[in-house]
Amino acid sequence: MSFDTKEMDALISKPTSHFQLTTTELYNKILKRDEAELTEFGAINAKTGEYTGRSPKDKFIVDNPQVKDDIDWGTINQPISEEKFLNLYYQVIEYLDQKDELFVFNGYAGSDKDSQLELTVVNEFAWHNLFAQNMFIRPSSIEEARKIRSDFTIISAPTFKANPEKDGTRSETFVIVSFKHKIVLIGGTEYAGEMKKSIFSVMNYLLPQRDIMSMHCSANVGHKGDVALFFGLSGTGKTTLSADPERKLIGDDEHGWNENGVFNIEGGCYAKAIHLSEEKEPQIFNAIRYGTVLENLVVDEHGYVDFDDNRYTENTRAAYPIHHIDNIVTPSKASHPNTIIFLTADAFGVLPPISKLTKDQAMYHFLSGFTSKVAGTERGITEPVPSFSTCFGAPFLPLNAKVYADLLGELIDKHEVDVYLVNTGWTGGKYGEGNRIQLKYTRKMVNDAIKGKLKDVPFEKDEIFGLSIPTSIEDVPTTILKPINAWSDKDAYREQAHDLVERFRKNFKKFGEDTQHLEEKGGFKA
């Protein structure tokens, strides 16, 4: 079976395929079609049914000679044959052709023109099309949109269900990327985040092959043009710490780093909304207004939103265009980073709250991507469990992790970037015994690091982790800086610290002999 775009082109150009609708036009369609409900904020709230998050086990990459030797195949990057992909592709096209209405958006991924990806998004749902307009970079006019010649096309048919036995999928749901045909094919799930993350995976394949670093991080810039990157997994404080009233936001989740500097891949933000409040996160709270897409929030008959109600999912979300945040850089790019912050929430209470990393240590911790899951976050977890996500974004990396680590190491060297490991987790004992490090102390340490105030501070080497710890930081208790001092039982601290070291070592073995030098130079010295 051969690939032909004429059916897709015909689908997009049908009179019932609405091209580049405005927010108001999409609102009218969404409410008329009963796809979502209007809230007190002027935002719409959609329910995504059975799937309230990504479906990583249903994600595939089409295996063909073009990509076969590049992809890091495994449980994350699962292969599917070109035959199976094409069969599903034509089924989906035929299925969508029978729909009364479709919604088409043209836009971009990547705010740097030199590496920008032109996109076409074809949606069965109007609210998915609004989501795409919020998350990707919008053309300035419909005339500009018409001139876009898509480098990649997303085709999203959430109500189409695959037949696993016939179609080669694991379930009725599928998210398939074909680099050869430049198609992202999505079906069987209403969770809109699959579109956003699929294009991030595409950029994570394309950019490094041009020696451009792709990164799962937030970024901001100070008044003097100093740029900071924040890498971190869920619950580490990435969004909170990068939202600084004294610094402008470049972006909150996906970035590239090329010869011109850092650029945002997206045109919007996809923020967690569970327990959201104006007091704790005013920027995100105030971004929820007309044009914002909420997912799986609880809304009463009067349109009032209960951010604390998790009856549908803990993973409630708000998707809004980046201009809903006041303090931003326009366009979303800046110069080369001065500081990189790796965020970890150590629930074992043994890692220092801040430590300065050598380049080898930076690459070691980047590959490790450590944080902790704590009791209550997942069923069956009753005590802290280490969680390692390679490069702080394993589910979205098509290439071997060493490709990203090597690129980062080269850029750190070239631009003389300061790298810090910041623990936003526990001190004085593990989760349930110690205390969470206070946000005001973390903010002070991070701000001092970004402003360069730690360059002249004396450091001492930790006896177990081999990390360089500042001996003093103004307004931060010294007992916090050196974690063993916060533990009343020093032997218990050492036992817990050595246990974490072994967990790191066990995880790092998966990278093989090619990274052994990082274990020796950048790893822990127990």
Side-chain angles (χ1 to χ4, degrees), residues 215-221 226-233 236-244 247 252-253 255 257 262 337-345 352-358 361-363 365-366 369-370 391-392 408 412 417-425 439 441-455 459 470 473:
M215 305 173 292
H216 187 213
C217 70
S218 58
N220 63 25
V221 58
D226 53 306
V227 175
L229 305 181
F230 298 80
F231 290 84
L233 301 170
T236 59
K238 181 179 63 170
T239 300
T240 300
L241 290 168
S242 62
D244 186 333
R247 300 174 64 81
D252 83 331
D253 196 46
H255 291 84
W257 183 359
V262 170
N338 306 84
T339 311
I340 292 175
I341 306 292
F342 292 155
L343 296 167
T344 180
I354 188 166
S355 48
K356 195 171 190 302
L357 305 180
T358 65
Q361 287 175 327
M363 292 174 69
H365 283 276
F366 181 63
F370 166 72
C391 305
F392 298 99
L408 181 67
I412 288 171
V417 185
D418 291 327
V419 185
Y420 293 88
L421 178 67
V422 173
N423 173 22
T424 62
L439 180 59
Y441 296 141
T442 300
R443 281 197 185 278
K444 182 64 168 64
M445 290 182 281
V446 167
N447 287 339
D448 280 8
I450 291 172
K451 292 176 181 177
K453 291 184 177 181
L454 300 186
K455 290 182 183 291
F459 283 76
I473 295 178

Side-chain angles (χ1 to χ4, degrees), residues 201-221:
S201 296
V202 168
M203 294 294 267
N204 281 330
Y205 175 81
L206 297 175
L207 293 182
Q209 296 191 56
R210 297 176 55 187
D211 291 326
I212 300 172
M213 181 67 182
S214 55
M215 305 173 292
H216 187 213
C217 70
S218 58
N220 63 25
V221 58

Side-chain angles (χ1 to χ4, degrees), residues 44 65-66 95 128 138 189 193 198 232 236 295 305 321 330 342 357 489 495:
I44 58 115
Q66 179 187 357
Y95 181 81
H128 274 191
R138 296 154 294 282
T189 174
S198 293
T236 59
E295 284 183 340
V305 180
T330 305
F342 292 155
L357 305 180
D489 187 337
E495 181 180 352

Side-chain angles (χ1 to χ4, degrees), residues 321-340:
I322 197 167
H323 63 254
H324 278 202
I325 301 287
D326 293 330
N327 198 28
I328 62 170
V329 178
T330 305
S332 302
K333 56 183 181 178
S335 60
H336 300 285
N338 306 84
T339 311
I340 292 175

Side-chain angles (χ1 to χ4, degrees), residues 40-211:
E40 58 178 310
F41 300 100
I44 58 115
N45 180 57
K47 306 291 198 312
T48 64
E50 179 183 353
Y51 296 92
T52 57
R54 291 184 302 104
S55 301
K57 293 181 180 179
D58 297 308
K59 175 185 168 186
F60 300 90
I61 295 175
V62 179
D63 186 5
N64 55 48
Q66 179 187 357
V67 302
K68 192 173 191 68
D69 295 333
D70 296 329
I71 302 298
D72 186 25
W73 301 108
T75 55
I76 291 174
N77 300 309
Q78 302 176 103
I80 193 169
S81 71
E82 185 161 348
E83 179 186 5
K84 294 293 187 186
F85 163 74
L86 290 175
N87 182 52
L88 265 173
Y89 166 77
Y90 286 114
Q91 285 186 70
V92 170
I93 293 293
E94 183 179 356
Y95 181 81
L96 291 178
D97 191 41
Q98 298 170 14
K99 295 295 175 182
D100 292 336
E101 293 181 296
L102 294 176
F103 304 90
V104 182
F105 167 72
N106 278 2
Y108 310 98
S111 58
D112 187 89
K113 299 287 187 182
D114 293 342
S115 53
Q116 197 169 67
L117 200 67
E118 295 190 347
L119 300 174
T120 294
V121 185
V122 182
N123 295 117
E124 179 184 355
F125 290 167
W127 82 264
H128 274 191
N129 200 249
L130 180 58
F131 176 93
Q133 290 201 26
N134 285 352
M135 295 313 305
F136 300 121
I137 297 172
R138 296 154 294 282
S140 58
S141 65
I142 194 167
E143 289 75 24
E144 181 184 344
R146 288 195 181 102
K147 293 177 183 177
I148 287 176
R149 296 296 175 261
S150 181
D151 298 313
F152 244 89
T153 300
I154 299 172
I155 303 172
S156 175
T159 64
F160 177 90
K161 311 294 184 184
N163 181 333
E165 290 185 11
K166 182 184 74 170
D167 297 321
T169 59
R170 292 172 61 101
S171 73
E172 63 184 15
T173 298
F174 54 91
V175 180
I176 306 175
V177 177
S178 172
F179 288 103
K180 177 181 177 181
H181 303 302
K182 300 180 178 179
I183 296 284
V184 174
L185 192 65
I186 302 173
T189 174
E190 298 182 25
Y191 182 67
E194 297 287 13
M195 293 184 286
K196 160 192 159 69
K197 287 304 185 185
S198 293
I199 292 301
F200 186 42
S201 296
V202 168
M203 294 294 267
N204 281 330
Y205 175 81
L206 297 175
L207 293 182
Q209 296 191 56
R210 297 176 55 187
D211 291 326

